[in-house]
């Protein structure tokens, strides 16, 4: 397929798609058969500014993926295919696609590319099930803070034991001194 010459307008489209494949953190392929234009517009809005939802011809998208060095997607380029190029948070985009697909069963997630590797539709769903980056970072910070608090208590324990021992000895001597007098 790569040896056939293509027209200038198609070459431009392939170049744009190739650049989108290279510059995005992830790409999700979906089938949009049966969705209305207003539903597709709603999907584009729900995905956010860092994600673009593009309908492309399969032959052009397949050539662009090959030019970008991505393999393993050829079997996904069947039927009407739309590409979701994610530049921002991949988990949020996957959640947006999953939630839209639940509300509109005609949207079918076929699979995609994440970190240069082809992934299945089930793996896209697993990405959507992850918590957002901010939540994961907050959990990590909380775990680190908890460990630091435990370490501080551990380091402080010998000092407090020594202070309690000294106070107990002082009380004992005062008691012995009061009994002797």
């Amino acid at each position: 397929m790569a040896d056939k010459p293509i027209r200038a307008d198609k070459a431009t489209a392939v170049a744009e798609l190739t650049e989108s494949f290279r510059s995005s953190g992830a790409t999700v392929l979906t089938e949009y058969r049966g969705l209305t234009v207003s539903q597709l517009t709603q999907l584009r809005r729900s995905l956010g500014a860092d994600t673009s939802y593009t309908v492309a011809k399969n032959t052009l998208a397949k050539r662009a993926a090959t030019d970008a060095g991505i393999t393993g997607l050829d079997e996904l380029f069947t039927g009407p295919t739309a590409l979701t190029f994610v530049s921002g948070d991949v988990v949020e985009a996957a959640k947006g696609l999953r939630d839209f697909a639940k509300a509109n069963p005609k949207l079918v997630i076929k699979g995609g590319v994440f970190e240069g590797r082809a992934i299945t539709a089930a793996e896209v769903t697993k990405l959507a099930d992850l918590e957002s980056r901010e939540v994961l970072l907050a959990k990590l910070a909380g775990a680190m803070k908890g460990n630091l608090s435990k370490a501080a208590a551990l380091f402080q324990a010998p000092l407090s034991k020594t202070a309690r021992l000294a106070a107990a000895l002082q009380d004992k001597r005062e008691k012995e001194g009061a009994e002797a007098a």
Side-chain angles (χ1 to χ4, degrees):
M1 175 194 322
D3 55 355
K4 285 170 78 177
I6 57 175
R7 294 190 329 230
D9 58 336
K10 290 185 179 184
T12 304
V14 169
E16 288 174 3
L17 288 172
T18 302
E19 180 57 32
S20 294
F21 271 114
R22 287 184 179 146
S23 65
S24 63
T27 304
V28 180
L29 281 72
T30 61
E31 183 175 324
Y32 62 93
R33 185 184 324 222
L35 293 175
T36 64
V37 173
S38 64
Q39 288 172 322
L40 289 175
T41 304
Q42 179 186 1
L43 173 60
R44 284 185 175 103
R45 281 191 201 128
S46 70
L47 291 174
D50 292 334
T51 304
S52 66
Y53 190 78
T54 306
V55 175
K57 292 185 87 170
N58 287 333
T59 54
L60 300 180
K62 194 182 295 188
R63 185 181 290 242
T66 303
D67 290 351
I70 298 168
T71 58
L73 295 180
D74 290 347
E75 66 275 358
L76 300 179
F77 289 114
T78 57
T81 302
L83 305 163
T84 308
F85 295 109
V86 183
S87 300
D89 190 3
V90 176
V91 173
E92 290 301 317
K95 283 182 184 184
L97 284 170
R98 180 199 59 198
D99 294 344
F100 189 85
K102 282 182 183 177
N104 301 285
K106 292 181 180 177
L107 180 76
V108 178
I109 299 173
K110 295 179 176 183
V113 178
F114 180 62
E115 296 180 348
R117 184 180 68 82
I119 59 174
T120 64
E123 291 172 316
V124 173
T125 304
K126 285 182 184 177
L127 275 175
D129 291 339
L130 288 175
E131 293 174 334
S132 70
R133 173 180 164 84
E134 291 78 20
V135 171
L136 292 174
L137 288 174
K139 285 184 175 184
L140 177 64
M144 290 173 67
K145 181 181 175 192
N147 287 337
L148 290 175
S149 297
K150 288 178 186 176
L154 180 67
F155 293 139
Q156 193 174 4
L159 293 174
S160 62
K161 280 185 178 180
T162 304
R164 286 194 302 269
L165 179 63
L169 283 174
Q170 184 179 7
D171 289 345
K172 182 179 177 184
R173 285 191 180 155
E174 286 176 0
K175 197 179 209 184
E176 288 175 354
E179 289 177 3

